[in-house]
Structure formats: C-alpha cells, structure tokens
Amino acid sequence: MSISWQTTLKKINFEEVTLESFKGKVIMVVNVASSCGFTPQYKELEDLYKKYQDQGFVILAFPCNQFGGQEPKTESEIQSFCELNFGVSFPLFAKINVNGSDAHPLFTELKDSLPGVLGTKAIKWNFTKFLIGKEGQPLARYSSTTKPSEIEKDILKALKN
C-alpha cells in the first residue's frame, strides 16, 4: 500500500504543495510542538536531515496543538522559534490536527497503515514519527519517546532500497 501522492499539504507560509513534490525521497513525517518535553528532538531531527538530505531524505514537520495545548503559537512564531532555537531547515507546515474527524488526510492514511501499540490508530502525543519509503510505502511508526537518532539505521536501510 502506498500513500496518496495527491494529498495537499499547506506549508508554514500557507503555500500549497502536494505530497508528490517529495516522491522518490525517504520521508519522515512528524507532528511537532514548541512547548513540549520532546521539543528538544528538533535538534536531532535537524541533524538527521542535514546528514542525509543529499541522499534523498526529507523531514516533514506538522505543528499540532491537540496535546496539552503545547503548540499555541502562530505559524510565523513557530517558524521563528524553530529557526532561532534549533536551526531547523527541513520543511515546516501549517498547524493541523492529527486525530479526530478533522485530522489531516496524511495522518489518517499513516495511522490506518501503521497502527500503534495494540493496534490503536490514534496518535498519543507530539513527536510521533512515521517513516515512508521512496515509493510512498509506509514503513514504520515511532512513539514520541523514540529519539530521532534511534531511527537512523531505518533511514539508512530505506535510502538503500
């Protein structure tokens, strides 16, 4: 099963792109927040991005305020926060919901393809990560507690395929 390349994504500056613009790359999709205990993961995410972007790896970060109100900032504030505090250069997108009836279609697809522990589909917290292969196949789901550096071996494997 492959993700829908026609899914529309709204960048943090509200410019619309489709997922197809990332086709052929290994993609990590992550829901993020700037006031979360896991926020320091931005640094490891940026490190991975810088290390592997030239090999076809990209991180797509989606701010979400559904967990403890930990992303109250506006898009421009989020962008500034990420750049100033973590030097984030990977693509940031407009705030979305990842759970519920108004969940973004990308997250609905990923949750259906890669359920969490005990088959639960709902995302439990910020910094849940999904790895997608070059052909759009969902490969793995990682919890908030999984550090980005712990996923590096899976990224390398996906880049080789």
Side-chain angles (χ1 to χ4, degrees), residues 69-157:
Q70 295 184 340
E71 189 49 270
K73 294 176 171 51
T74 65
E75 276 76 4
S76 61
E77 290 170 334
I78 293 165
Q79 187 169 19
S80 294
F81 172 85
C82 290
E83 289 171 359
L84 292 171
N85 292 289
F86 299 102
V88 167
S89 60
F90 51 81
L92 291 166
F93 293 84
K95 282 167 66 167
I96 60 161
N97 285 333
V98 297
N99 290 326
S101 60
D102 61 346
H104 190 281
L106 174 59
F107 279 85
T108 300
E109 270 191 273
L110 290 171
K111 292 184 300 181
D112 287 347
S113 297
L114 298 166
V117 178
L118 303 175
T120 58
K121 291 186 181 179
I123 291 176
K124 302 285 189 247
W125 206 253
N126 300 307
F127 289 88
T128 296
K129 296 162 277 297
F130 293 90
L131 194 61
I132 302 169
K134 294 176 190 174
E135 302 303 316
Q137 68 280 24
L139 300 174
R141 176 177 177 160
Y142 307 91
S143 74
S144 303
T145 58
T146 303
K147 294 179 180 175
S149 58
E150 295 171 18
I151 303 170
E152 187 169 6
K153 65 185 180 324
D154 294 343
I155 294 167
L156 283 169
K157 183 178 174 185

Side-chain angles (χ1 to χ4, degrees), residues 1-5 19-20 22-29 56-58 60 106 110 113-114 130-142 154-161:
M1 185 175 145
S2 176
I3 55 170
S4 171
W5 291 113
L19 201 52
E20 190 168 32
F22 302 101
K23 194 172 188 174
K25 295 184 181 289
V26 172
I27 304 167
M28 182 184 292
V29 172
F57 174 66
V58 67
L60 309 182
L106 174 59
L110 290 171
S113 297
L114 298 166
F130 293 90
L131 194 61
I132 302 169
K134 294 176 190 174
E135 302 303 316
Q137 68 280 24
L139 300 174
R141 176 177 177 160
Y142 307 91
D154 294 343
I155 294 167
L156 283 169
K157 183 178 174 185
L159 286 169
K160 289 178 183 167
N161 290 337

Side-chain angles (χ1 to χ4, degrees), residues 7-94:
T7 301
T8 301
L9 308 174
K10 198 175 287 188
K11 290 183 166 183
I12 199 137
N13 66 0
F14 300 105
E15 174 192 336
E16 287 193 355
V17 296
T18 62
L19 201 52
E20 190 168 32
S21 58
F22 302 101
K23 194 172 188 174
K25 295 184 181 289
V26 172
I27 304 167
M28 182 184 292
V29 172
V30 56
N31 63 305
V32 295
S34 52
S35 299
C36 175
F38 296 111
T39 300
Q41 287 188 17
Y42 268 125
K43 182 184 180 328
E44 282 190 29
L45 289 168
E46 179 63 18
D47 291 346
L48 284 174
Y49 179 63
K50 281 184 176 166
K51 191 171 182 180
Y52 297 111
Q53 68 177 335
D54 292 341
Q55 295 176 45
F57 174 66
V58 67
I59 295 170
L60 309 182
F62 294 85
C64 178
N65 197 38
Q66 285 189 294
F67 305 101
Q70 295 184 340
E71 189 49 270
K73 294 176 171 51
T74 65
E75 276 76 4
S76 61
E77 290 170 334
I78 293 165
Q79 187 169 19
S80 294
F81 172 85
C82 290
E83 289 171 359
L84 292 171
N85 292 289
F86 299 102
V88 167
S89 60
F90 51 81
L92 291 166
F93 293 84

